[in-house]
Amino acid sequence: MRSSHQAGRLAQPPSPITDDGDEEHFCRSCSFSSACNAVGQGKPELNALQCLVEHVGPYRSGQYVFRSGDPFRAIFAVRSGTVKTSVVDRDGREQVLGFYLPGEVIGLNAIYPDQFPCDAIALETAQFCRFLFPAMSALASRVPVVQQHLFRLLSKELGAVTLLAGDHSADERMAAFLTDLSERYAARGFSGISFHLSMPRGDIANYLRLAAETVSRVLSRFRSQGLIEIEGRELTISDPQGLRKLGQNLLPD
Amino acid sequence: MRSSHQAGRLAQPPSPITDDGDEEHFCRSCSFSSACNAVGQGKPELNALQCLVEHVGPYRSGQYVFRSGDPFRAIFAVRSGTVKTSVVDRDGREQVLGFYLPGEVIGLNAIYPDQFPCDAIALETAQFCRFLFPAMSALASRVPVVQQHLFRLLSKELGAVTLLAGDHSADERMAAFLTDLSERYAARGFSGISFHLSMPRGDIANYLRLAAETVSRVLSRFRSQGLIEIEGRELTISDPQGLRKLGQNLLPD
DNA sequence: TGTGCGCCTTGATCCGGATCAACCCGCGCG
DNA sequence: CGCGCGGGTTGATCCGGATCAAGGCGCACA
């Protein structure tokens, strides 16, 4: 995000993330950009932002960003890589809650319980902007657009989870999942037609509440129907409209 | 809520809701009480609250409080009665999203899309405190505890929806549903052991993503197992711990 | 008083997706 | 090199819950 670009250079402890010259573009496509931009415009608030944003990472695949039960101190915007969040219930079964791409924000569901209610695990090497929440919250009081932004992020996530909670067929779920991923990549400036699935089939299955075998079968079927091309984790969407139509009951619009 | 008690008496257009002498208790048990109380303590803010809270209702069973697509102007706290929220997808199938009891808040998921993403329908004659959201949001900027309260409400709802999204058996879902209702009634000062189900079986089924027949069967089974007594919509929980244990994977704690 | 209609219950059958099982592939490692 | 192992695919079977079907209230209304 734009502001972290600025704040990052000024941060007292040398940031573990080296500037790659692409930060400006990254910040524009980040979920927080409007908030950061709003802050960046007023000099005094810029100071506040320096205090509350921090670059952290990299986390290697499989590493925990936070764990269920950790005290809630900050929310995280993904700078690079991919993250999954999940909970494990009393009998040890994992439940994947979501996948997060660059520019997206994790940790909002920790506000109410005041501790993280889920684990966050890197699926690929990942880096983050870390926003201390008390400071963020205080800032939100002074800068209305930041407050509004947080409300919207929360409300948006609420809508997303709600859709997944419906009862839908394996085909609908899968089509909606791929379309959603595609549109999220596109929104961040990546290709929405051809991309790499950063998570194993088992995680997709778990997230969609299906068995891994079912995911495999549905993908094979989609391929034979000419909707997608897929080889390992490399995906190309051949018929975006067809795919979207299949998943329409699960998708916004 | 306490503050609406005060504000209600002063409202210029005579409130359609007559005071029943129980408002003070009601406000204490409302989801908004801490926010309202915080505001009520400072004289100047009290004025603000008068402007943004309004008593509305009664809505009779079956009436819409708001409809999907309506512009988002306000959130609603249930004062009395019960409400369900639901969406209908493209092929006309209804999807129940939640049931809301006195003291609970609806409309938060409308913030992001800036229009209501679902219908809200009274299940029993219902009355509300209506909070204009722009004013509420402005107030939240000035009174940090109000902002915090809204964040928490949103985050809490996010957690609740997430649980329902998991894949669980009909028994687990049903047990968790009844336990949840029980605890919510208890939290508002009603009996959590014996209460009236204000929604038809079909709505429960839809909410839990089951068939109405399955709901009926599971309830019969629970009865024969001595977990509950049920006759029509009158429910008594005979074995709260047993029921809670059955649904534990879906419940907080 | 009868009739129709929502709502609920219970039984019989069916089906989507889970589970079990076998196998393939690529890769790290002794 | 041979081996184990995690991840992926595909086939065979099984099962929980959906669907279909029938019947029983309780209640509004002619």
Side-chain angles (χ1 to χ4, degrees):
Chain A
M1 55 208 64
R2 177 172 256 306
S3 51
S4 69
H5 170 61
Q6 300 166 336
R9 294 196 194 281
L10 300 172
Q12 296 79 354
S15 163
I17 299 177
T18 57
D19 283 2
D20 53 16
D22 200 23
E23 285 204 26
E24 195 157 347
H25 166 263
F26 172 81
C27 287
R28 264 204 308 275
S29 67
C30 175
S31 277
F32 253 94
S33 60
S34 72
C36 289
N37 284 327
V39 171
Q41 278 151 21
K43 286 289 175 194
E45 278 84 4
L46 187 53
N47 255 327
L49 197 66
Q50 288 175 36
C51 299
L52 73 89
V53 77
E54 184 192 357
H55 288 189
V56 296
Y59 293 81
R60 304 272 156 215
S61 176
Q63 285 187 321
Y64 286 78
V65 183
F66 52 76
R67 282 171 185 273
S68 187
D70 285 356
F72 173 60
R73 299 202 216 291
I75 57 178
F76 298 79
V78 181
R79 289 178 49 75
S80 63
T82 316
V83 189
K84 74 168 174 181
T85 54
S86 64
V87 295
V88 299
D89 61 24
R90 280 161 189 75
D91 19 303
R93 294 189 314 161
E94 182 185 13
Q95 178 85 249
V96 175
L97 302 182
F99 302 106
Y100 296 84
L101 311 181
E104 300 180 335
V105 174
I106 60 176
L108 293 168
N109 55 356
I111 297 174
Y112 164 64
D114 204 41
Q115 55 177 25
F116 288 99
C118 61
D119 301 321
I121 304 171
L123 290 171
E124 298 168 318
T125 304
Q127 301 176 319
F128 302 88
C129 287
R130 185 173 183 274
F131 299 85
L132 291 174
F133 194 73
M136 188 88 214
S137 176
L139 185 65
S141 290
R142 280 180 290 124
V143 188
V145 71
V146 173
Q147 180 193 83
Q148 186 195 353
H149 201 68
L150 283 169
F151 283 147
R152 287 166 56 96
L153 276 181
L154 272 159
S155 183
K156 190 175 189 172
E157 185 123 349
L158 190 49
V161 176
T162 301
L163 287 172
L164 191 67
D167 71 317
H168 301 279
S169 70
D171 285 24
E172 283 181 299
R173 287 177 184 289
M174 196 68 208
F177 172 70
L178 295 179
T179 301
D180 179 53
L181 265 191
S182 162
E183 293 179 352
R184 283 156 65 195
Y185 273 123
R188 306 302 178 200
F190 300 98
S191 166
I193 292 304
S194 201
F195 50 91
H196 179 79
L197 295 172
S198 41
M199 67 296 286
R201 298 284 192 275
D203 280 351
I204 297 177
N206 188 309
Y207 174 66
L208 298 177
R209 283 59 173 147
L210 301 170
E213 294 91 331
T214 304
V215 165
S216 192
R217 279 185 250 269
V218 172
L219 288 176
S220 297
R221 184 145 21 88
F222 282 3
R223 178 173 40 204
S224 75
Q225 290 169 174
L227 289 167
I228 61 171
E229 290 168 45
I230 188 167
E231 189 166 330
R233 298 194 186 173
E234 295 309 318
L235 176 74
T236 300
I237 299 180
S238 320
D239 181 0
Q241 290 97 333
L243 204 60
R244 186 166 227 296
K245 186 145 176 292
L246 256 183
Q248 66 178 351
N249 282 335
L250 272 154
L251 292 165
D253 287 7
Chain B
M1 54 208 65
R2 179 171 254 307
S3 52
S4 69
H5 169 62
Q6 299 165 337
R9 293 197 194 281
L10 300 172
Q12 296 79 354
S15 163
I17 299 177
T18 57
D19 283 3
D20 53 15
D22 200 22
E23 286 205 22
E24 194 157 349
H25 166 263
F26 173 80
C27 287
R28 265 204 307 277
S29 67
C30 174
S31 277
F32 254 94
S33 60
S34 72
C36 289
N37 283 326
V39 170
Q41 278 152 19
K43 285 289 175 197
E45 278 84 2
L46 186 54
N47 255 327
L49 196 67
Q50 288 177 35
C51 299
L52 72 89
V53 79
E54 184 191 359
H55 288 190
V56 297
Y59 292 82
R60 303 273 157 214
S61 175
Q63 286 188 319
Y64 286 77
V65 183
F66 52 77
R67 281 169 185 275
S68 187
D70 284 356
F72 173 59
R73 300 201 216 289
I75 57 179
F76 298 79
V78 181
R79 289 179 48 77
S80 64
T82 316
V83 189
K84 74 169 174 182
T85 53
S86 63
V87 295
V88 300
D89 62 23
R90 279 161 188 75
D91 19 302
R93 294 189 313 161
E94 181 185 14
Q95 178 85 249
V96 175
L97 302 183
F99 302 106
Y100 296 85
L101 311 181
E104 301 180 334
V105 174
I106 59 176
L108 293 168
N109 54 357
I111 297 174
Y112 164 64
D114 205 41
Q115 55 178 23
F116 289 100
C118 60
D119 301 322
I121 303 171
L123 290 170
E124 297 169 319
T125 305
Q127 301 176 319
F128 303 88
C129 286
R130 185 173 184 273
F131 298 86
L132 291 174
F133 193 73
M136 187 88 216
S137 176
L139 185 65
S141 290
R142 281 180 290 124
V143 188
V145 72
V146 173
Q147 174 185 276
Q148 186 195 353
H149 201 68
L150 284 169
F151 283 148
R152 287 166 56 95
L153 276 180
L154 272 158
S155 183
K156 190 175 188 172
E157 184 124 349
L158 190 49
V161 176
T162 301
L163 286 173
L164 191 69
D167 71 314
H168 301 279
S169 70
D171 285 24
E172 284 181 298
R173 287 169 125 74
M174 196 66 208
F177 173 69
L178 296 179
T179 301
D180 179 54
L181 266 191
S182 162
E183 293 179 353
R184 283 156 65 194
Y185 272 122
R188 306 301 177 202
F190 301 98
S191 167
I193 293 302
S194 202
F195 51 91
H196 179 81
L197 296 172
S198 42
M199 67 295 286
R201 299 285 192 274
D203 280 351
I204 297 177
N206 188 309
Y207 174 66
L208 298 177
R209 284 58 173 147
L210 301 170
E213 295 92 331
T214 303
V215 165
S216 192
R217 280 185 249 268
V218 172
L219 288 176
S220 298
R221 183 144 22 87
F222 281 4
R223 179 172 40 204
S224 74
Q225 291 168 173
L227 290 166
I228 61 172
E229 290 168 45
I230 188 166
E231 189 168 330
R233 298 194 187 173
E234 295 308 318
L235 176 73
T236 300
I237 299 180
S238 320
D239 181 0
Q241 291 97 333
L243 205 60
R244 185 165 228 296
K245 186 147 177 290
L246 255 183
Q248 65 178 350
N249 282 335
L250 272 153
L251 292 165
D253 286 8

